[in-house]
Amino acid sequence: MQEAPPYHRFKDFLAPGADRYKILGDLLEELGFGYSSIVLGRSEHRLRHFFVLPHRGQGFLPGEYPTIVLVAHYDRVAGSPGANDNSAAVFMLLEAALRMRDDKLRNWLIIFTDKEELGPGEGIRDQGSYGLAKGLRETALKDCRYYIFDACGSGDTLIISTMADHLIKNENGPGADHTRRVVKALRDGALKTARNLMMDRVLLVPTPFSDDAGFLRAGLAAQTITVLPSREAAGLASLLRNKPEFINALISRDALLATKFPAPETWRSLNGPADTPHRLTPKNYGRVVKFACELCRT
């Protein structure tokens, strides 16, 4: 049976050697969205981010400047299909965009980021989101609410990450205080959205860093949203309550490889050949799509 848009291009997106930048651009054109491709850096360090608008034209229409930005990275680790990290979330946001356009919501912007994944020896400042956020801070978009969707394709429990709390817990000064206030407001908005939808599986725990790490380091707060199977989510919450010393390892991603830390299997499968479509749970995609749409109404 033919997949409905936008998922009809999902297999192409996962194919080995796929030009994901071109596929995504072609898909945005086919679906009738306006978009701009922003290129940062030079030569082999060139990064390409997509800014997706609710209408076909490039630029914002009068009176509809965005107040909320939904973010998902479209790159993947070499050798990995990247089904859950992060193809599923990219296509969920495309579906959300289609729904919001049908509902005539105009206050949103979607950014698909490049180079969320880091290579050996690279740090947060090497993330694509770091340079992007530094640029965004110089525009009116600095005051938008930023929500990052990462690894949302496997499971039924919405995870509202508390990683930002741990990254900035030792920072002081007016800038850090402002960031804490913004992070709290973003998290409160996510919790309010979940309540509006009467979602029954929602958890607050720290997660491995995503684009939010680059955003935070550049001085722009963002809230990460991810998903886990309920059994894995419950096990993670229990473990971190009893052994909070594991939190630092978790947020630095060391936990995904550490044998002493029983990280959720869903996270252990990321960034490698095991991240295949067989681990995805499409029946639960609607929860994330509705959540993304409701965020833009809240």
Side-chain angles (χ1 to χ4, degrees):
M1 185 174 65
Q2 180 69 31
E3 295 274 7
Y7 297 99
H8 63 299
R9 297 300 307 276
F10 192 69
K11 290 182 180 178
D12 298 337
F13 205 62
L14 299 186
D19 185 341
R20 292 156 76 86
Y21 172 78
K22 184 177 187 308
I23 292 171
L24 188 51
D26 290 347
L27 186 53
L28 291 169
E29 188 69 32
E30 176 189 340
L31 297 175
F33 289 109
Y35 70 92
S36 297
S37 176
I38 307 300
V39 180
L40 300 175
R42 293 175 292 179
S43 66
E44 70 273 16
H45 302 294
R46 183 175 298 163
L47 307 178
R48 299 175 294 188
H49 308 292
F50 282 103
F51 285 60
V52 183
L53 305 167
H55 53 80
R56 185 175 286 278
Q58 294 189 5
F60 302 107
L61 298 179
E64 64 171 39
Y65 208 70
T67 58
I68 184 166
V69 180
L70 309 179
V71 181
H73 73 90
Y74 71 90
D75 63 311
R76 59 179 170 179
V77 170
S80 174
N84 192 23
D85 188 18
N86 189 35
S87 304
V90 168
F91 279 74
M92 288 179 201
L93 290 191
L94 287 172
E95 182 184 353
L98 288 169
R99 293 192 184 189
M100 292 190 292
R101 186 173 64 185
D102 288 345
D103 292 342
K104 295 181 171 49
L105 285 178
R106 296 286 192 174
N107 65 324
W108 57 268
L109 174 70
I110 292 175
I111 302 179
F112 292 121
T113 63
D114 192 8
K115 192 148 175 44
E116 185 269 353
E117 306 291 0
L118 296 177
E122 293 183 317
I124 291 175
R125 285 181 171 83
D126 296 301
Q127 266 195 325
S129 59
Y130 173 76
L132 175 64
K134 287 189 69 176
L136 291 171
R137 286 188 62 195
E138 304 302 317
T139 73
L141 292 173
K142 69 181 185 299
D143 296 321
C144 291
R145 295 174 288 146
Y146 286 83
Y147 287 92
I148 294 166
F149 290 75
D150 199 354
C152 294
S154 180
D156 57 356
T157 300
L158 193 77
I159 308 295
I160 300 173
S161 177
T162 61
M163 184 205 71
D165 296 345
H166 302 280
L167 286 179
I168 61 177
K169 67 180 179 181
N170 295 322
E171 297 186 8
N172 299 301
D177 292 340
H178 172 75
T179 298
R180 289 187 182 92
R181 288 193 296 272
V182 176
V183 166
K184 182 180 185 304
L186 290 170
R187 191 166 305 148
D188 288 347
L191 290 169
K192 179 180 178 181
T193 297
R195 287 194 299 270
N196 289 348
L197 294 174
M198 295 183 287
M199 299 180 73
D200 58 349
R201 294 184 180 90
V202 180
L203 186 64
L204 289 167
V205 291
T207 61
F209 75 80
S210 179
D211 273 327
D212 54 351
F215 273 71
L216 274 171
R217 187 60 63 197
L220 198 62
Q223 173 65 59
T224 287
I225 305 295
T226 188
V227 172
L228 283 174
S230 55
R231 177 180 57 81
E232 294 181 20
L236 176 65
S238 176
L239 178 68
L240 294 180
R241 280 196 302 270
N242 295 318
K243 296 185 177 181
E245 65 270 18
F246 281 129
I247 291 176
N248 286 336
L250 174 62
I251 62 177
S252 68
R253 286 190 173 180
D254 292 342
L256 300 185
L257 300 176
T259 57
K260 293 183 179 179
F261 185 94
E265 181 60 30
T266 295
W267 289 350
R268 285 184 174 272
S269 72
L270 303 179
N271 298 337
D275 188 11
T276 69
H278 297 94
R279 301 191 63 89
L280 301 178
T281 54
K283 66 181 181 181
N284 296 318
Y285 287 4
R287 291 168 59 87
V288 177
V289 172
K290 288 180 181 178
F291 182 83
C293 294
E294 186 66 21
L295 275 174
C296 297
R297 296 188 178 95
T298 302

